Amino acid sequence: MIRKAVFPAAGFGTRFLPATKASPKEMLPLVDKPLIQHGVEEARASGIRDMIIVTGRGKNAIEDHFDVSFELEAMLAKKGDRKLHSLVRSISDMGDFFYVRQNLPLGLGHAVLRTMDMVGEEPFAVILSDDVIDSKVPVLRQMIDVYAKYSAGAVLAIQKVPREHVPRYGIIEGRKIGKGVYEIVDMVEKPKPEKAPSDLAIIGRYILPPSIFPALQAIKPGAGGELQLTDAIRALLSEERVLGYEFEGVRYDAGTKLGFLMANISFALKDPEIGPPLREFLRKERIS
Ligand code: G1P
């Protein structure tokens, strides 16, 4: 039903400078896997085949990562390392990859608008790979189920956040209509805490209808002077049923240094190989 996922990946990654001076933020690893690969794996596990990545200058490593690396595969085959060979090959087999450039840093709404021709006239998903979510059932899968069950026009992942954090997010106003499901009646991008309609924040997973594109073309720059996806979705509220869904899973804001480190520690502790010695190290150093 949802065949395409859009991955905005053109940002400068300024929060991670100097690490991101010459390499894309999306390629920073969680243990041994780039952030964006976590997002692509989630999409794949949710039944999505077409991965549309919005890139910019200096992002070639992303394209190379999802491409076949002939030299590397030939070297691993020669060495007889089947395990690594199939690991490397499986990355380029994860889907069909399409790239479009966001040539100007005009915001998330602008990034999504750049994919209009590739998406065409069908509903699609948007994944912000900064938001890493550890869950039993992939979050996008959970959302597709809600989308189908409620015959929704759009579904946004949402999560309660501390009041003082609301200025970092798009915040919804909604009416609860089911377990974790809200009918959204209004939304605002990065409000002041006293102006926020709730403490339910939009997290970086969306299922959107193709009518989002004309809405994106019509909106004016919003918060931070950027074209905001939140503003375009808000414009759809009169014609589409837009739902917020409190997903099951633990979310890390890997777009900040602290959230990125927390995600790394949490994923590393779960890793069968390095988890136990890492735990031992943390214990010995009295870190935990
Ligand atoms: C974007 C969206 C915002 C959403 C957030 C989730 O903001 O504009 O509505 O709450 O992602 O991570 P950004 O983090 O790009 O500032």
Side-chain angles (χ1 to χ4, degrees):
M1 183 172 36
I2 307 290
R3 304 185 307 152
K4 300 178 179 178
V6 166
F7 299 81
F12 288 118
T14 46
R15 286 196 188 130
F16 286 93
L17 281 170
T20 47
K21 187 179 172 206
S23 7
K25 169 180 77 167
E26 295 76 14
M27 292 301 292
L28 293 174
L30 280 190
V31 187
D32 51 9
K33 218 181 260 176
L35 280 176
I36 191 160
Q37 189 179 331
H38 284 270
V40 167
E41 286 184 5
E42 181 185 322
R44 186 80 193 109
S46 306
I48 285 168
R49 180 77 217 170
D50 288 1
M51 314 291 171
I52 302 172
I53 305 183
V54 186
T55 67
R57 267 182 81 79
K59 301 281 183 167
N60 297 353
I62 299 177
E63 295 188 37
D64 289 343
H65 184 72
F66 291 109
D67 196 1
V68 170
S69 172
F70 178 75
E71 300 88 335
L72 181 58
E73 287 190 18
M75 186 273 285
L76 292 170
K78 204 168 152 204
K79 271 176 63 180
D81 195 333
R82 285 217 200 125
K83 205 171 148 211
L84 271 188
H85 184 274
S86 68
L87 176 92
V88 165
R89 168 52 64 96
S90 68
I91 301 170
S92 51
D93 284 345
M94 261 171 219
D96 288 329
F97 291 87
F98 303 87
Y99 297 90
V100 60
R101 291 246 171 177
Q102 184 185 10
N103 41 13
L104 294 166
L106 299 180
L108 178 59
H110 179 249
V112 173
L113 183 53
R114 297 290 296 136
T115 68
M116 180 165 79
D117 290 341
M118 284 180 175
V119 170
E121 284 300 316
E122 59 183 288
F124 64 104
V126 175
I127 295 188
L128 308 184
S129 49
D130 273 3
D131 282 323
V132 173
I133 303 170
D134 188 13
S135 61
K136 270 201 218 110
V137 179
V139 174
L140 204 54
R141 179 76 255 166
Q142 297 177 34
M143 293 169 66
I144 291 172
D145 292 344
V146 170
Y147 177 79
K149 183 174 170 197
Y150 288 85
S151 306
V155 180
L156 319 183
I158 54 168
Q159 186 179 47
K160 272 202 168 64
V161 296
R163 271 277 163 183
E164 64 272 22
H165 290 178
V166 301
R168 300 180 191 171
Y169 298 96
I171 301 292
I172 67 140
E173 181 181 348
R175 223 167 7 96
K176 200 164 184 176
I177 57 167
K179 189 166 175 272
V181 181
Y182 293 76
E183 178 120 38
I184 299 181
V185 294
D186 204 0
M187 53 206 293
V188 50
E189 180 68 16
K190 300 195 171 58
K192 295 206 169 91
E194 63 276 15
K195 293 245 170 84
S198 76
D199 56 358
L200 290 170
I202 301 167
I203 302 304
R205 302 288 184 279
Y206 308 75
I207 297 174
L208 297 172
S211 55
I212 194 69
F213 294 115
L216 282 165
Q217 283 170 323
I219 56 165
K220 300 260 165 339
E226 296 185 342
L227 277 190
Q228 295 293 352
L229 183 58
T230 303
D231 295 342
I233 303 171
R234 183 174 188 266
L236 294 185
L237 288 174
S238 54
E239 60 202 64
E240 300 274 5
R241 182 173 212 205
V242 181
L243 302 181
Y245 174 61
E246 273 183 306
F247 55 88
E248 281 168 30
V250 180
R251 174 245 178 188
Y252 299 91
D253 180 3
T256 66
K257 280 183 230 179
L258 182 62
F260 176 73
L261 283 173
M262 286 171 169
N264 255 304
I265 293 170
S266 166
F267 279 64
L269 284 172
K270 283 189 181 179
D271 184 286
E273 203 179 311
I274 62 170
L278 176 63
R279 196 175 297 278
E280 180 62 15
F281 164 78
L282 294 174
R283 199 185 55 75
K284 265 203 193 139
E285 300 290 315
R286 294 175 185 275
I287 297 172
S288 75

